[in-house]
Amino acid sequence: MDKIHSLTGMLDHYDDGDIENISVKIFETEKRIKKVFTNYKYSEIRTPALEDTNLFIRSAGDASDIVNKEIYSFNDRNEKNIALRPEGTASAIRAIIEKKLDQTNHKLWYLGPMWRYERPQKGRYRQFYQAGVEILGYEEGAPEYEIISMVCSIIEEFKLKNCSIKINHLGDKESKKLFCDALIEYLEPFKDSLDEKDLTRLTKNPLRVLDSKNKETQSILKNAPSIREFIKPSALSLLENIQNEYQDICNIEIDYTLVRGLDYYSGFVFEAISSELGAQDSFLGGGRYDHLSLKLGGKNLPSIGMAIGVERFASLIKDITTSNKVVSFLTLTSNLESKPYKIAHQLRSLNSNIILDLQLSDGSLKSKLRKANKNNSEYAIIIGEEELRDGTAVIKFLNDELKDQETVSIEELFSFYTSL
Ligand code: HAM
């Protein structure tokens, strides 16, 4: 029979215990990012993968690439147009409005798959994972500092090098309008040189022209007015304060041309990039979106958030060794002998901080020790026929140059394991 293959741009991930494998890095990234979210006292929100397509048209905007050409939408059996979510923010706000919680403050996190029908390449997939946070119900100020502090904590947690955070401010409604008018006026004489995409952006959301990939547009923009001349002094000092406070942890750059690919942003925006990523260099992005709740039929709910692209982020990690010790448990007895498995059970209840890898397969001691080394075990506990008869176990020290192994009683094994 023919084999069935996975869909283009959609990857399988499997933990084979090899710490160099990207899948292993992805799972570790997810675990540790979740820990940062909970340490900051954020609460989890989990929304469905499928939503009414209108949710994304209304939030991301019909001029955005996400809605224009990347959305996975189709009619269900009832002829309702539904879409696989391309991002998590709109769903989180929809859920909060639906639960009638849009009058209170929230600090939320989520982690899950998103779908965008993009041309797959390194770092760009059709199904990818985002770990995100949304801070709802707070005006500009404290949440901006909190979110950049969280980005820095995540960068520190994973000891990332060669990355920087770009920040900008899109202004309040009034200054954004003045800037857009100035931009339109500046671009008017160049209209014949703009491609169709940039012309559409110019009418639907002029700020998005700044994000154009067209070289000619970018060279025209070199002399365009800068948003710096239009935003309020409070916005300028927010950018400067953030840069000054966090500069010692991560390189923070004010970039007055930074705009985001979704229409709902207002005010402070940011992106983290790494020179190690190649063309798709942004591993995280976010910003303030004060008007999204009203646009989705909810109350006034000033908000800010960000999402990390888990695959891109994981590819930057060099060292994923965890603080938890790993011990391998090897039996060289018949598979039907129950005693060793009960001993392993007792060890696990004695010390839950240890990762105990009980090797289930038959095989030689040599192959089992090879596996123990591969999964970074510090010790191997070995029970063969002789140990079983004598009521003992062998502790093999895998990382100790001076000590090879020791035979101990089961009681001694229990105290050794408890003390790890
Ligand atoms: P975004 O910039 O569209 O923002 O996506 C955030 C991150 O998701 C990107 O920086 C990138 O790392 C990753 N990403 C995006 N598309 C792909 C892809 N096709 N393959 C792999 N990774 C990808 C948002 O989605 C906003 N919802 C963030 C946000 C939350 N803003 C406010 N709250």
Side-chain angles (χ1 to χ4, degrees):
M1 274 240 240
D2 287 348
K3 283 186 190 148
I4 298 173
H5 297 281
S6 63
L7 301 177
T8 307
M10 306 211 179
L11 308 182
D12 297 309
H13 288 294
Y14 163 67
D15 180 348
D16 62 358
D18 179 355
I19 53 172
E20 293 302 322
N21 178 342
I22 185 67
S23 299
V24 176
K25 290 186 177 181
I26 286 174
F27 297 141
E28 186 61 25
T29 300
E30 292 178 355
K31 246 187 267 164
R32 276 154 67 180
I33 287 179
K34 269 194 212 173
K35 200 173 126 226
V36 175
F37 291 164
T38 26
N39 285 354
Y40 270 72
K41 196 75 184 94
Y42 282 52
S43 315
E44 182 172 3
I45 181 163
R46 202 175 288 190
T47 59
L50 283 166
E51 297 271 4
D52 185 328
T53 307
N54 287 318
L55 174 66
F56 304 113
I57 296 178
R58 251 204 258 172
S59 54
D62 56 4
S64 66
D65 286 350
I66 287 186
V67 165
N68 259 332
K69 50 180 190 147
E70 293 169 4
I71 198 147
Y72 271 92
S73 63
F74 46 90
N75 284 356
D76 69 6
R77 288 171 195 273
N78 219 5
E79 297 302 308
K80 183 174 175 57
N81 198 255
I82 55 175
L84 279 165
R85 61 175 182 214
E87 59 108 34
T89 311
S91 305
I93 299 299
R94 193 241 344 109
I96 291 295
I97 296 172
E98 219 168 324
K99 287 187 187 311
K100 300 196 175 24
L101 294 173
D102 48 338
Q103 279 157 321
T104 39
N105 305 324
H106 305 274
K107 295 201 277 186
L108 308 171
W109 70 263
Y110 52 86
L111 196 157
M114 309 291 158
W115 293 266
R116 295 184 192 175
Y117 195 87
E118 301 203 69
R119 198 168 43 79
Q121 54 176 268
K122 183 172 171 271
R124 196 207 257 166
Y125 310 102
R126 289 187 175 169
Q127 175 174 308
F128 59 99
Y129 278 70
Q130 279 189 349
V133 296
E134 310 294 347
I135 309 175
L136 315 182
Y138 300 90
E139 300 285 351
E140 179 173 286
E144 271 74 1
Y145 294 113
E146 160 102 336
I147 209 155
I148 293 298
S149 146
M150 184 187 271
V151 172
C152 291
S153 295
I154 291 170
I155 287 173
E156 281 184 304
E157 163 74 24
F158 291 90
K159 302 187 179 68
L160 293 196
K161 300 267 178 309
N162 305 323
C163 59
S164 56
I165 307 173
K166 287 185 182 179
I167 57 174
N168 191 16
H169 201 292
L170 304 179
D172 57 12
K173 255 192 178 146
E174 191 194 347
S175 32
K176 187 173 170 186
K177 165 127 193 11
L178 290 173
F179 174 62
C180 286
D181 289 348
L183 197 59
I184 293 170
E185 197 183 315
Y186 170 81
L187 288 171
E188 193 63 42
F190 299 103
K191 261 187 162 169
D192 290 344
S193 313
L194 299 182
D195 62 21
E196 209 180 311
K197 193 170 171 185
D198 288 335
L199 281 172
T200 315
R201 286 173 163 179
L202 195 60
T203 42
K204 290 194 169 171
N205 182 359
L207 275 186
R208 296 276 304 127
V209 180
L210 299 181
D211 212 19
S212 172
K213 300 278 174 289
N214 187 318
K215 284 201 177 104
E216 201 175 344
T217 311
Q218 280 306 335
S219 85
I220 294 171
L221 285 169
K222 282 208 173 95
N223 298 317
S226 162
I227 201 155
R228 189 187 191 292
E229 297 144 32
F230 294 83
I231 54 179
K232 301 256 155 68
S234 60
L236 280 175
S237 51
L238 177 76
L239 292 175
E240 279 160 16
N241 289 345
I242 288 180
Q243 188 180 38
N244 292 338
E245 293 302 340
Y246 295 98
Q247 191 70 317
D248 57 332
I249 303 170
C250 187
N251 178 30
I252 296 187
E253 208 183 292
I254 302 176
D255 177 355
Y256 293 108
T257 66
L258 176 72
V259 284
R260 306 264 306 126
L262 298 135
D263 279 2
Y264 52 62
Y265 291 106
S266 54
F268 181 69
V269 289
F270 57 98
E271 259 174 36
I273 56 166
S274 166
S275 54
E276 293 174 23
L277 282 174
Q280 306 303 319
D281 64 352
S282 126
F283 59 89
L284 163 171
R288 181 163 278 282
Y289 52 95
D290 284 349
H291 315 297
L292 183 57
S293 172
L294 285 172
K295 236 179 160 180
L296 296 179
K299 303 262 181 327
N300 180 37
L301 191 67
S303 305
I304 184 172
M306 61 117 174
I308 300 165
V310 173
E311 291 81 357
R312 288 186 200 174
F313 190 91
S315 71
L316 296 173
I317 303 172
K318 303 279 181 296
D319 177 17
I320 60 157
T321 42
T322 51
S323 50
N324 286 48
K325 284 197 175 92
V326 184
V327 175
S328 281
F329 191 95
L330 321 181
T331 57
L332 298 171
T333 56
S334 142
N335 259 348
L336 298 176
E337 183 56 70
S338 60
K339 199 121 199 123
Y341 305 109
K342 182 64 190 292
I343 294 172
H345 178 88
Q346 286 167 303
L347 289 174
R348 283 180 167 135
S349 23
L350 281 172
N351 190 347
S352 58
N353 288 325
I354 304 293
I355 299 168
L356 186 69
D357 182 18
L358 172 68
Q359 292 193 18
L360 299 174
S361 57
D362 287 337
S364 65
L365 177 61
K366 203 169 158 201
S367 70
K368 290 186 174 193
L369 283 173
R370 204 179 307 125
K371 192 167 171 222
N373 276 317
K374 206 171 162 207
N375 74 13
N376 262 351
S377 290
E378 235 171 275
Y379 308 97
I381 295 168
I382 308 166
I383 299 188
E385 299 291 352
E386 195 182 322
E387 287 76 26
L388 202 60
R389 197 185 53 236
D390 299 347
T392 58
V394 172
I395 302 171
K396 196 164 174 59
F397 301 86
L398 300 174
N399 293 344
D400 197 327
E401 281 176 8
L402 301 175
K403 233 176 183 179
D404 180 30
Q405 62 180 51
E406 229 173 69
T407 300
V408 295
S409 70
I410 298 301
E411 280 314 309
E412 284 167 334
L413 174 69
F414 287 163
S415 0
F416 165 78
Y417 197 84
T418 313
S419 70
L420 287 179

